[in-house]
Structure formats: C-alpha cells, structure tokens
Amino acid sequence: MTDTLKVTKIAETKINQVDFSNLAFGTVFTDHMFVCEYKNGKWQTPEILPYGPLQMDPSAKVFHYGQAVFEGMKAYKDDNGDIFMFRPEENFNRINKSGERLAMPAFDKEYFFDGLNTLLNLDKDWIKSGEGNSLYIRPFVIATENGVSASPSSEYKFVIICAPAQAYYSGQVKVLFADHYSRSADGGVGYAKAAGNYAAQFYPTELAKEKGYNQVVWTDANTHEYLEEAGTMNVFFRVNDTLITAPTSDRILDGITRKSLIELAKSQGINVEVRPVKVAEIVEAAENGSLKEMFGAGTAAVISPISGFTHKEKAFDLPLVEDAYATKLKKQLTELQANRAEDPFGWRYEVPAIEV
Ligand SMILES: *Cc1c(COP(=O)(O)O)cnc(C)c1O
C-alpha cells in the first residue's frame, strides 16, 4: 500500500443485514468506497471511506453535460479465501481510453491498484466463494466542477464502489435487431464506456421490451445491415461450427469477455472469424438451420445465450443444441476466473493480502 492512501474505516459493518442468497444485481453495496479527487491539474491523495452519498453542487458539470465514464469488473474468492480478479489492467486501460474521448484526465495506475487492493481486503467478507458468487466492482469518473458552461470540467472524482453478485440467469433471451435507432456512429463514442451511451439506449430498448424482447442488437448506423453489439454485451454467432463476431471499431466496445472468448475458443480448435456480420447472412443461416447459437458476452453475465431474434417483423427461434459453445465456454471462463481451473493465458490477477 502506498502511504498516500488515506483509509477511514466504518464503525460497524452492515454485512449482517444482507441476504446473500437473494441479491438483486447491483443494489446492495459493501461497507467502503474509494474516492480520489482531481483538482489544480492533478489527482489528490486517494481515500477509502465508508460507503455513502457524495456531496456535489447542483451546477456540477456531470449533471448537465454527462461528462462521465465507468467500468465493470469482478472479484472472486476461492476455497482458500484468496481473492482474484480477471485482467484488471484491461479495465484500467479502458477507463482511461474512455476518459480521453470525454476530455477527462487519465487516472494514476498505482492509485488505482492500491485503492482496489485495499478496498477488496477491507471488504473481503463481502466476497463469497463458490460457483456463481462474485463481487461486482464499479469504478467511475464524474465531472465535479461547478458551473454550467459547456466545457470540460477542471475537477473530477474517481470513485470505486462494490456490490456482491450471484450467478445471473437471464432465462430465455429474445432480441430485436435494430433497423431504425442506433447506438453509435463512426467517429462517435461507441467504443467508450461513456454514461450517455447507455441513457441513449434506454428508450429504444423500452420500445423493444414492450414488444416482448429483452434486448436490442444494434446494427451499424449507416445501413443497419451489419450486426454490431447489444446494450452492454458484445455478440457472437455460431454458424455450423464456426464462431463469428464483429471486429471492434470506434462504434463497438472492445469487451474483455469478448477478446478472452475469442482466444479461449481458438485454443480449443474452434474456428473463429472476426469480421463484419451481415444481418442477411444470419437471417439466411436461421432459415437454413445452420445458425446454431447466438450469445452476448460481457462481465456481468459472462455469456448470455439468446434463444431467438426478430428482424423487420420476422421472428426466428434458435434450436436447442447439445454441447452448446455458450455453455462450455462460460463454464471454462468462469472456472478460470474463480481459480478453479488452470490459467494458461495468464489472465488471473491475485489480489495481494494486505493488513488493513
Ligand atoms: C461493458 C460493455 C461490453 C462488455 O465488455 P466486458 O469488458 O466484456 O465487460 C460490451 N459492450 C458494451 C457496449 C459495454 O458497455
């Protein structure tokens, strides 16, 4: 731990009030949070504080211009009580990449890892071992300078909060292929985890939900002919035995689950194609029976199988396949993440035990 991290512990834990067998995703938070302020051109001494409200002026820029970015990551505990994370450096790099697009200052790597390691040690009882259990970690950065002039803030808060999570079963997921609204465009912010990207999806996603779909799979804004990604997940298609996913670009978020699945699948001899995916080819594959699977990939659900899709009023159901790639890859990835399997890729990060 750097001597620059200031820790203020809670007086009494609230963990005993939590029913760990019945957690709604992202609604219960741990005892502590990490906060670091940026002002006078630099990040100030980071702090760990009791979890609680942030005080801000109503004119703070985040409220008016949405200058905000976030990340989503998880920590796992194995049966020995050791804590692991999955490729956290990727999340650190990505929040700075997202921040750069929103004219925000890069965060300090040492502050990030010291803060995270200390926070996880302080709140380690909130991480349960066993299949499906994890701690969802939400780092975010917000513009806190007072004043409503439309220009980048000169002050920010970098915050990390944590929520215990259980395995996420989405049930039957039906999706709608977008043919009117768009999530992102060339030269835009689609590749960034920028808060406003998600707000902008809520309305078209609500319209889709009213029609009975769980999610929208976004298509390219120019032609709506290419499938890109879902709300907070990249999308994979299995045609015969080939796994296909769109290449990342400035419209598509470079998901850590996505790139790990590509490597994991390849390492097992699965044929993987990273190339633009035409709506027409997926419709055709569904019609001729060669479309075996479709699934979303992202940190929260890891892999979320899709059971059917609709494009321009035409609905298709996917067959139930035996030995689904989705089931197999999800199991392999989650076991690796939780230190229940070998890690030939070097993706696992062991959180050092720190006296706190
Ligand atoms: C977070 C996110 C993903 C998934 O990224 P992971 O690193 O795998 O969690 C995919 N698409 C969008 C738009 C996202 O916000």
Side-chain angles (χ1 to χ4, degrees):
M1 196 195 319
T2 48
D3 35 342
T4 51
L5 178 64
K6 193 176 156 219
V7 177
T8 310
K9 291 190 204 174
I10 40 128
E12 199 183 336
T13 180
K14 57 189 185 207
I15 198 167
N16 301 323
Q17 298 160 26
V18 177
D19 178 1
F20 280 84
S21 63
N22 187 21
L23 290 165
F25 180 76
T27 55
V28 174
F29 294 91
T30 63
D31 287 328
H32 298 92
M33 63 181 182
F34 171 89
V35 181
C36 188
E37 294 193 17
Y38 182 92
K39 59 182 175 202
N40 304 323
K42 70 186 197 51
W43 292 102
Q44 307 292 309
T45 303
E47 283 193 70
I48 288 179
L49 301 163
Y51 182 92
L54 300 171
Q55 275 238 336
M56 279 188 287
D57 195 275
S59 73
K61 295 203 183 218
V62 65
F63 298 134
H64 305 275
Y65 306 114
Q67 203 187 1
V69 296
F70 69 95
E71 265 306 322
M73 54 211 301
K74 278 180 174 173
Y76 310 84
K77 189 184 268 176
D78 70 6
D79 291 334
N80 292 327
D82 295 323
I83 303 167
F84 296 88
M85 297 190 65
F86 185 68
R87 311 182 77 176
E89 237 185 272
E90 297 278 343
N91 298 91
F92 172 76
N93 292 336
R94 193 169 63 190
I95 200 167
N96 280 343
K97 195 172 156 197
S98 298
E100 182 183 34
R101 181 63 180 81
L102 274 86
M104 299 165 107
F107 195 52
D108 185 279
K109 190 168 179 177
E110 207 176 318
Y111 283 5
F112 181 76
F113 279 97
D114 281 343
L116 198 52
N117 290 338
T118 308
L119 186 61
L120 293 177
N121 274 275
L122 270 171
D123 287 346
K124 65 173 183 290
D125 291 347
W126 294 78
I127 315 173
K128 302 297 179 193
S129 62
E131 200 177 328
N133 296 322
S134 65
L135 187 73
Y136 183 77
I137 302 166
R138 169 56 60 91
F140 62 101
V141 197
I142 51 175
T144 52
E145 186 190 343
N146 301 337
V148 296
S149 72
S151 57
S153 179
S154 63
E155 296 179 5
Y156 298 88
K157 273 189 209 298
F158 190 109
V159 185
I160 306 176
I161 56 176
C162 304
Q166 291 173 295
Y168 182 87
Y169 292 110
S170 37
Q172 292 265 331
V173 175
K174 299 228 184 252
V175 299
L176 184 65
F177 287 179
D179 64 9
H180 174 66
Y181 292 101
S182 300
R183 189 191 92 86
S184 64
D186 292 335
V189 292
Y191 71 89
K193 273 185 126 66
N197 280 348
Y198 304 84
Q201 294 180 68
F202 291 162
Y203 175 67
T205 305
E206 284 302 301
L207 294 179
K209 283 186 177 160
E210 280 167 21
K211 292 188 188 165
Y213 303 102
N214 306 79
Q215 272 293 344
V216 175
V217 174
W218 300 103
T219 48
D220 73 289
N222 295 332
T223 66
H224 297 294
E225 281 178 20
Y226 291 90
L227 291 158
E228 303 217 306
E229 63 173 326
T232 56
M233 291 195 283
N234 297 107
V235 192
F236 286 78
F237 306 87
R238 174 182 170 189
V239 176
N240 291 319
D241 287 337
T242 296
L243 210 47
I244 311 168
T245 193
T248 56
S249 64
D250 55 4
R251 302 185 306 273
I252 301 184
L253 191 122
D254 186 3
I256 298 158
T257 316
R258 171 189 173 280
K259 64 179 155 202
S260 305
L261 287 174
I262 292 171
E263 272 195 67
L264 187 62
K266 280 184 177 168
S267 76
Q268 299 175 30
I270 294 174
N271 186 31
V272 183
E273 291 179 5
V274 178
R275 57 164 177 82
V277 187
K278 274 205 135 175
V279 174
E281 80 177 281
I282 296 305
V283 168
E284 193 190 317
E287 281 170 342
N288 70 24
S290 58
L291 182 68
K292 306 285 189 215
E293 291 179 61
M294 247 170 90
F295 55 84
T299 296
V302 187
I303 286 182
S304 184
I306 296 167
S307 61
F309 71 90
T310 293
H311 176 243
K312 296 198 167 158
E313 314 287 316
K314 248 183 125 175
F316 298 89
D317 283 319
L318 270 72
L320 262 184
V321 289
E322 272 181 47
D323 303 320
Y325 287 175
T327 315
K328 179 169 118 173
L329 294 171
K330 180 173 182 172
K331 182 157 195 287
Q332 290 172 340
L333 194 60
T334 50
E335 305 240 294
L336 185 159
Q337 288 171 329
N339 195 34
R340 289 194 301 268
E342 290 298 308
D343 175 20
F345 308 94
W347 288 337
R348 211 156 43 215
Y349 167 83
E350 182 165 357
V351 175
I354 301 171
E355 279 300 322
V356 284

